[in-house]
Amino acid sequence: TQLLEQSPQFLSIQEGENLTVYCNSSSVFSSLQWYRQEPGEGPVLLVTVVTGGEVKKLKRLTFQFGDARKDSSLHITAAQPGDTGLYLCAGAFNFNKFYFGSGTKLNVKP
Amino acid sequence: EPEVTQTPSHQVTQMGQEVILRCVPISNHLYFYWYRQILGQKVEFLVSFYNNEISEKSEIFDDQFSVERPDGSNFTLKIRSTKLEDSAMYFCASSALQGVIGEQYFGPGTRLTVT
């Protein structure tokens, strides 16, 4: 079983702070996706990264794919209470087989 | 905005019974997936499906599980003889392109409770 390690597992910060969440594996991904999941709902896709070294921005969220395509990070600038949620990374090792990390639970306090 | 839908939202069944979970993927999507998430645990890949056949499956997807696209719109997951440990949220997802660049859109899930 391919393992994706996400860190930290929990993060509680004040509104306005910056944060970074990490997703790591010893294996090479063909692509990696970041999702956000609310309790009792399905994951909602935020971004897909494919190329090593790729950086994508989504408003205050910056996603980076490692050069070797084994790791990724999600950076949030000036976090807001609306960013509170569970952030998941999912790596594709084959074209149609995906493995999820266990997630980072983010709480942004007003 | 098109979305993946799943029915029922909650299914309660007795151990040993068969259940069928239903999904309607986004209409122009070609790739379909089932995942499960046991309470408090990570989302786990079960199976992917393309062109009316399974393209990938995990070690969880044993002979008790089957998938079908019976009518060109529905995508179903059948569990033949449910066990207590099958209790979980089951998510369906679909994507327009192959996994390497395809973006998966998830349904809201079916909560399966096996008693």
Side-chain angles (χ1 to χ4, degrees), chain A residues 11 13-19 21 35-38 46 58-61 74-87 104-109:
Chain A
L11 192 55
I13 60 171
Q14 290 295 135
E15 182 176 1
E17 292 183 359
N18 302 331
L19 67 115
V21 174
Y35 293 86
R36 180 172 158 177
Q37 185 180 25
E38 301 298 333
L46 297 174
L58 190 67
K59 296 184 181 177
R60 291 177 295 101
L61 278 60
L74 158 59
H75 182 80
I76 301 179
T77 304
Q80 299 175 1
D83 296 326
T84 294
L86 179 66
Y87 290 84
T104 293
K105 194 169 288 188
L106 172 66
N107 179 38
V108 182
K109 295 175 282 189

Side-chain angles (χ1 to χ4, degrees), chain A residues 20-43:
Chain A
T20 303
V21 174
Y22 299 93
C23 178
N24 295 289
S25 175
S26 57
S27 301
V28 176
F29 307 127
S30 54
S31 69
L32 187 137
Q33 299 173 332
W34 283 93
Y35 293 86
R36 180 172 158 177
Q37 185 180 25
E38 301 298 333
E41 298 181 11

Side-chain angles (χ1 to χ4, degrees), chain B residues 28 38 57 79 107:
Chain B
N28 64 340
I38 296 170
K57 62 181 181 179
I79 308 175

